Amino acid sequence: MVDFFSSLSPFNQTLIATLFTWGMTALGATLVFATKSMNQKLMDCMLGFAGGVMIAASFWSLLSPAIELAEKDPIPAWIPAAVGFLLGGLFLWGIDKMIPHLHPNSPIESAEGRHSQGKKRSTLLVLAITLHNIPEGLAIGVAFGSGAMGLNSSSLAAAVTLALGIGIQNIPEGASISLPLRRDGFSRRKSFMYGQFSGMVEPISALVGVLAVTMIEPLLPFALSFAAGAMIFLVAEEVIPGSQENGNRDLASMSVMVGFTIMMILDVALG
């Protein structure tokens, strides 16, 4: 798989990778054709798994390469990693406060962001997962931009692993949109369309990321750690709390461990 990607331009690498992750979101949304609702324990398990994948990806595919690259610069290696990481979290915090959205399984009264009152539940649900997909797409774009620089032999493998891991955890994201909408009375077709549509932002944000780092090479350590910070903020603020709010805390916590372990194995095996 890595050999296939190595023959492509970074733009095409990123496009293919994020079309895959978008497709996995659509795959999750197809669950609406099989059932009207999903077992809550299974949903919490899938969310916990997604959180574990994102935590592992943030370190092995983003922060670790950022520190390795920063060691070649005259400034201490921890500065780009720390600054980029914190800025990534602040960036997503700002977006979270601005974009109106509603977490799956939450009442409409708990919608967050500016001007959320009066908006349809379907719109708020799609915006919630779209918000999730911004840092995921950005992370993929930055990772493939790093691989294109040829700065170390494992960069491209790390980018491929990151895309694979994010694709896996996009399955529950697609389902978390389509199934609640079906339960609210939407047709199966419309529920699926809304669910897969939420993944469209990943290719867009990924292309922004890859163009930025390939055009401005000194930004690369900051950009990698920025993407990691945005993902960790998302996991801490929404993914893990959402997996535990229905009482399945032990199951969700073990799912985080499993997701982290699988992503770690993938990164080590492919890297």
Side-chain angles (χ1 to χ4, degrees):
M1 184 183 295
V2 176
D3 291 338
F4 166 74
F5 274 96
S6 64
S7 64
L8 303 174
S9 69
F11 182 90
N12 288 333
Q13 290 171 351
T14 304
L15 183 61
I16 291 172
T18 49
L19 287 177
F20 163 73
T21 58
W22 183 5
M24 296 297 276
T25 303
L27 178 62
T30 61
L31 292 175
V32 76
F33 294 109
T35 180
K36 185 176 180 179
S37 61
M38 180 177 286
N39 181 279
Q40 190 60 53
K41 286 187 177 181
L42 178 59
M43 180 62 77
D44 292 342
C45 178
M46 294 172 72
L47 280 174
F49 178 87
V53 167
M54 293 174 72
I55 293 171
S58 296
F59 176 74
W60 272 284
S61 297
L62 296 170
L63 268 180
S64 181
I67 294 171
E68 181 181 348
L69 291 173
E71 288 174 347
K72 301 176 182 178
D73 297 330
I75 62 174
W78 59 266
I79 292 180
V83 171
F85 186 82
L86 292 175
L87 287 177
L90 286 172
F91 169 75
L92 205 65
W93 174 81
I95 290 182
D96 187 71
K97 296 301 180 185
M98 292 293 295
I99 296 179
H101 60 282
L102 176 68
H103 304 307
N105 302 317
S106 298
I108 188 70
E109 295 79 15
S110 64
E112 301 177 15
R114 296 182 61 185
H115 310 301
S116 60
Q117 300 302 316
K119 284 187 167 54
K120 294 182 179 180
R121 177 181 174 86
S122 58
T123 301
L124 293 169
L125 284 171
V126 172
L127 287 173
I129 302 302
T130 301
L131 178 63
H132 287 200
N133 288 336
I134 290 174
E136 294 170 7
L138 182 64
I140 292 173
V142 170
F144 276 103
S146 170
M149 308 299 241
L151 297 173
N152 61 66
S153 59
S154 64
S155 293
L156 184 56
V160 172
T161 304
L162 177 64
L164 182 60
I166 288 178
I168 292 171
Q169 66 92 37
N170 274 359
I171 296 176
E173 289 190 353
S176 68
I177 288 290
S178 62
L179 293 175
L181 291 180
R182 177 58 179 163
R183 188 172 59 244
D184 290 347
F186 282 71
S187 68
R188 294 183 190 276
R189 180 177 178 276
K190 183 172 286 189
S191 299
F192 166 76
M193 291 303 295
Y194 273 116
Q196 65 83 30
F197 181 78
S198 65
M200 185 182 296
V201 72
E202 280 195 10
I204 298 172
S205 56
L207 293 177
V208 171
V210 72
L211 288 174
V213 298
T214 53
M215 293 175 64
I216 312 175
E217 183 176 336
L219 284 179
L220 192 49
F222 291 93
L224 286 165
S225 53
F226 180 94
M231 289 227 291
I232 291 296
F233 177 89
L234 175 62
V235 172
E237 203 269 340
E238 295 186 10
V239 177
I240 290 180
S243 71
Q244 299 189 352
E245 63 186 8
N246 297 292
N248 300 311
R249 295 185 177 182
D250 290 342
L251 179 63
S253 296
M254 289 307 302
S255 298
V256 171
M257 300 293 292
V258 172
F260 185 97
T261 302
I262 290 177
M263 186 63 193
M264 176 180 64
I265 291 171
L266 286 174
D267 196 278
V268 173
L270 294 179

